[in-house]
């Protein structure tokens, strides 16, 4: 069932009612830092128009989100100590989706140093100053 966009935290971020560390935006998409980063530079890319998940996002927004994801991933690799990017998209409660507004996680990785499993990791509240600083670094690398 579609989330009421009034109650959707990511719609509120798009509307500027909830703050975020913005990295990039265009007509259709927004990229911002995850506040519980799995690794330094963990970024979320969302469509500005509310869609719950992969099943209901429009083809145009789906393409736009992934084009933005590619831009961000390139910037992450250019400015962070990462040698790869784990791209995660959870669709539906059964997949552990928590925020019911389509989003792609871009998690900068170096498997030789970050000690994470291939598909399992923990997100923890981050240090806001550090998240803001790293978000600025990725933004500058775009
Ligand atoms: P999901 O499990 O739905 O794929 O992930 C939701 C993500 O959104 C989590 O990684 C969580 O840290 C992030 N998140 C939830 N609320 C907020 C918020 O208010 N601001 C930001 N920047 N990220 C959020
Ligand atoms: Zn929404």
């Amino acid at each position: 069932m579609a989330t009421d966009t009034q109650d959707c935290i990511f719609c509120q971020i798009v509307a500027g009612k909830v703050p975020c560390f913005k990295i990039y935006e265009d007509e259709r998409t927004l990229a911002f830092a995850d506040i519980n980063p799995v690794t330094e530079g963990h970024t979320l890319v969302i469509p500005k128009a509310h869609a719950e998940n992969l099943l209901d996002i429009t083809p145009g927004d789906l393409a736009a989100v992934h084009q933005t994801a590619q831009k961000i991933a390139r910037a992450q690799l250019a400015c962070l100590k990462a040698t790869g990017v784990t791209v995660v998209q959870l669709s539906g409660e059964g997949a552990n989706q928590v925020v019911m507004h389509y989003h792609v996680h871009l998690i900068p990785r170096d498997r030789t140093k970050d000690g994470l499993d291939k598909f399992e990791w923990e997100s923890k509240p981050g240090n806001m100053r550090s998240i803001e600083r790293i978000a600025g670094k990725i933004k500058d690398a775009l």
Side-chain angles (χ1 to χ4, degrees), residues 37 44 68 72 85 114:
L44 300 174
T68 296
I72 303 299
V85 180
D114 60 30

Side-chain angles (χ1 to χ4, degrees), residues 33-134:
D34 195 305
I35 50 170
N36 302 299
V38 173
T39 63
E40 194 173 78
H42 182 169
T43 302
L44 300 174
V45 183
I46 66 170
K48 287 185 171 175
H50 183 86
E52 190 167 315
N53 59 39
L54 184 62
L55 290 312
D56 70 336
I57 189 169
T58 65
D61 277 350
L62 185 64
V65 165
H66 286 263
Q67 281 162 22
T68 296
Q70 185 184 50
K71 284 191 180 89
I72 303 299
R74 285 176 175 154
Q76 288 172 326
L77 289 178
C79 75
L80 303 175
K81 289 183 196 125
T83 53
V85 180
T86 295
V87 182
V88 178
Q89 203 290 308
L90 306 178
S91 276
E93 279 178 40
N96 262 343
Q97 182 178 2
V98 174
V99 177
M100 295 297 171
H101 180 128
Y102 187 85
H103 55 280
V104 171
H105 295 258
L106 298 173
I107 303 170
R109 298 288 314 278
D110 181 343
R111 71 182 172 83
T112 65
K113 299 195 180 108
D114 60 30
L116 299 175
D117 283 343
K118 198 165 185 178
F119 291 122
E120 199 173 359
W121 48 74
E122 200 186 346
S123 65
K124 300 186 205 115
N127 174 295
M128 288 301 151
R129 289 179 69 171
S130 160
I131 292 173
E132 183 174 25
R133 183 177 59 79
I134 299 297

